[in-house]
Amino acid sequence: MTEGGKITVSCVLNGAKTDLCGEAAQPASEALRREGLFGVRETCSLGVCGTCTVLLDGEPVSACILPFYALEGSEVRTVEGLESGGRLSALQQQFIESQAFQCSFCTPGFLLSAAALLDSTEGALTDEQVEEGLQGHLCRCGCYETVKEAVRAVAARRHGQDAGRGAR
Ligand code: FES
Ligand code: FES
């Protein structure tokens, strides 16, 4: 729908059907931040740092180079949509326990790519899988090792749960 040079896109945003209004070619990150989703953080605006990552139909994408119109008909998840009923996800909780951040500016992006990785795999993860899944995320504070540790810990725990179920 077009109105005064602007378009309206319909999407499912963090689980809720939502209509958003904006300029077709503007970055999706701007439109999402206008909705108050400040976990979508913009730094490089070039698609190279990962801070603006959102999940589009379950896949991590850089919202700073994603045109607004591309949200139409999509399922969009930002870091605000990872918690459920006010409770942090197991992954978010593990980031805290593993001290996987310092300033935390990069954390929403890492969390979303890690969530996508965990959703698309089963059981424990190899170091290579984790590195590949987190590719394209930069952390100025150098928290790479603790981030990877957190993701491996969540994967290992579910692996243990899977093994336990299999043994019953
Ligand atoms: S701000 Fe989008 S990738 Fe850096
Ligand atoms: S925790 Fe500071 S940039 Fe990553």
Side-chain angles (χ1 to χ4, degrees):
M1 188 188 301
T2 308
E3 192 180 311
K6 297 197 168 180
I7 62 165
T8 300
V9 302
S10 300
C11 60
V12 177
L13 180 56
N14 291 331
K17 279 189 178 175
T18 308
D19 288 337
L20 300 171
C21 185
E23 290 162 26
Q26 79 173 146
S29 50
E30 284 178 20
L32 294 169
R33 286 181 62 84
R34 229 181 15 248
E35 287 297 298
L37 298 168
F38 298 117
V40 184
R41 295 174 173 166
E42 198 162 329
T43 309
C44 71
S45 307
L46 295 169
V48 296
C49 76
T51 61
C52 64
T53 298
V54 300
L55 299 185
L56 192 70
D57 295 327
E59 293 292 325
V61 295
S62 295
C64 69
I65 54 170
L66 183 74
F68 175 62
Y69 67 79
L71 299 180
E72 172 63 33
S74 300
E75 189 169 325
V76 184
R77 193 160 297 272
T78 69
V79 74
E80 289 84 355
L82 285 186
E83 62 160 47
S84 169
R87 291 181 59 134
L88 296 179
S89 68
L91 179 64
Q92 289 172 302
Q93 194 59 46
Q94 188 61 50
F95 263 55
I96 295 170
E97 284 166 27
S98 297
Q99 299 185 0
F101 50 83
Q102 287 183 34
C103 77
S104 82
F105 199 81
C106 65
T107 307
F110 270 113
L111 280 167
L112 287 161
S113 284
L117 174 66
L118 289 163
D119 282 349
S120 64
T121 53
E122 290 181 358
L125 294 176
T126 64
D127 291 352
E128 291 71 26
Q129 281 177 302
V130 175
E131 293 214 355
E132 200 175 313
L134 300 179
Q135 256 178 17
H137 289 273
L138 302 180
C139 173
R140 287 187 189 185
C141 301
C143 295
Y144 298 106
E145 289 311 313
T146 48
V147 168
K148 287 189 266 181
E149 177 190 309
V151 178
R152 282 195 303 263
V154 174
R157 209 155 51 229
R158 75 179 177 181
H159 181 58
Q161 286 162 355
D162 291 348
R165 267 197 293 275
R168 277 200 287 272

